[in-house]
């Protein structure tokens, strides 16, 4: 997953990123930590890129716990959305803020 995200970000020059884990079941471990770091850091500009993670239930709880333990969510501007409506609102806000 990390290689795929790196390739897409390099090709598309995204200003923000949505990671859809709506169908993903995550309970424990740090195997996704690198994904958030890669997603949140633009290697070309050396700037942070906002990330919104669509997740709910145990997956959302576990990921928030993982990121809170290292303060990563705050350092890398990572937001969580538990519903698509929240995700749409986040995207609209980011688009408006960058205009």
């Amino acid at each position: 997953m990390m290689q795929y995200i790196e390739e897409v970000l390099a090709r598309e020059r995204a200003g923000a990123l949505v990671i859809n884990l709506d169908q993903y079941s995550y309970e424990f471990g740090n195997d996704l930590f690198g994904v958030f770091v890669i997603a949140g850091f633009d290697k070309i500009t050396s700037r942070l890129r906002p990330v919104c993670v669509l997740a709910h239930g145990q997956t959302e709880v576990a990921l928030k716990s993982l990121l809170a333990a290292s303060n990563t969510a705050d350092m890398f501007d990572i937001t969580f959305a538990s519903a698509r409506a929240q995700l749409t609102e986040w995207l609209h806000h980011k688009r408006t803020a960058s205009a």
Side-chain angles (χ1 to χ4, degrees), residues 3-62:
Q3 181 179 352
Y4 173 75
I5 289 173
E6 280 187 314
E7 289 171 3
V8 170
L9 291 174
R11 183 177 65 241
E12 300 296 331
R13 301 288 315 188
L17 183 69
V18 171
I19 299 176
N20 184 350
L21 299 177
D22 191 35
Q23 301 295 316
Y24 191 74
S25 179
Y26 181 80
E27 293 182 18
F28 178 78
N30 64 358
D31 52 330
L32 288 177
F33 185 78
V35 171
F36 296 114
V37 173
I38 287 170
F41 184 72
D42 186 333
K43 288 181 179 181
I44 296 169
T45 65
S46 297
R47 299 175 88 178
L48 295 179
R49 175 187 299 113
V51 175
C52 187
V53 180
L54 178 61
H56 55 83
Q58 180 58 38
T59 299
E60 181 182 12
V61 171

Side-chain angles (χ1 to χ4, degrees), residues 60-92:
E60 181 182 12
V61 171
L63 289 172
K64 283 182 175 179
S65 176
L66 169 68
L67 297 178
S70 61
N71 203 27
T72 303
D74 293 332
M75 290 185 334
F76 281 89
D77 192 12
I78 299 171
T79 302
F80 281 86
S82 57
R84 291 183 189 272
Q86 288 176 301
L87 176 61
T88 303
E89 183 179 316
W90 180 83
L91 286 168
H92 178 71

